[in-house]
Amino acid sequence: MTKLTLGTQPFLLGFEQLERLVERAAKSGNDGYPPYNIEQTSDRSYRITLAVAGFTEADLSITLEDRQLTIRGRQSDDPEGRVFLHRGIASRQFQRTFVLAEGVDVGEAVMENGLLHIDLTRHVPETVVQTVPIKRSGVK
């Protein structure tokens, strides 16, 4: 079976970067932690919500690089001298990534009741109609 790629389609010109974005998203290595929701809040806006109970704002970082939104969490180590009889609440680090489409901007991030909300806005580009003149070939 042959793998069908966007670059091999003669009617899809200039979509090589889209193919690379899809491959990068597939390799992002998200392991399911922390759980998250993505909701559409309007025609042009979205909200990503991550369940980050036990993390503080200082334990979290949000970066955007080359249209890849990365949320990292790293809790500080427990203070010395604590003795746990049972430890069922894991303190583990995480990295969750989302590949954003061109024209999607990251808005504010808010912590509320153990949930991290990140608002996104999609800008719809204006439709541009361009007429291309046809020149006559140099006939002699």
Side-chain angles (χ1 to χ4, degrees):
M1 178 180 264
T2 304
K3 179 182 175 187
L4 186 63
T5 62
L6 294 175
T8 62
Q9 299 301 312
F11 51 87
L12 294 175
L13 302 174
F15 283 90
E16 297 83 12
Q17 185 175 3
L18 178 62
E19 188 171 7
R20 286 191 298 270
L21 283 173
V22 170
E23 288 175 5
R24 187 170 63 179
K27 295 177 184 176
S28 65
N30 292 328
D31 66 353
Y33 178 78
Y36 66 94
N37 292 336
I38 300 175
E39 67 180 293
Q40 185 170 359
T41 54
S42 76
D43 287 345
R44 296 185 190 154
S45 62
Y46 308 93
R47 174 174 268 191
I48 299 172
T49 300
L50 286 85
V52 291
F55 288 85
T56 66
E57 290 87 345
D59 296 331
L60 301 169
S61 71
I62 302 169
T63 57
L64 180 64
E65 182 178 353
D66 193 25
R67 295 192 292 175
Q68 183 166 315
L69 177 68
T70 303
I71 302 103
R72 290 182 180 89
R74 175 176 222 137
Q75 292 177 319
S76 54
D77 294 330
D78 289 323
E80 295 286 328
R82 293 179 73 183
V83 177
F84 291 94
L85 301 178
H86 171 75
R87 184 153 189 177
I89 301 172
S91 63
R92 65 190 246 199
Q93 62 185 16
F94 71 87
Q95 176 174 311
R96 170 119 0 235
T97 59
F98 301 90
V99 178
L100 304 180
E102 192 168 324
V104 174
D105 294 327
V106 178
E108 69 177 357
V110 177
M111 283 278 286
E112 176 184 34
N113 299 325
L115 299 174
L116 174 63
H117 303 289
I118 303 169
D119 292 323
L120 309 171
T121 306
R122 180 175 49 92
H123 297 284
V124 179
E126 294 181 25
T127 302
V128 176
V129 177
Q130 179 181 354
T131 303
V132 179
I134 303 172
K135 293 183 180 182
R136 184 171 249 207
S137 175
V139 180
K140 293 186 179 182

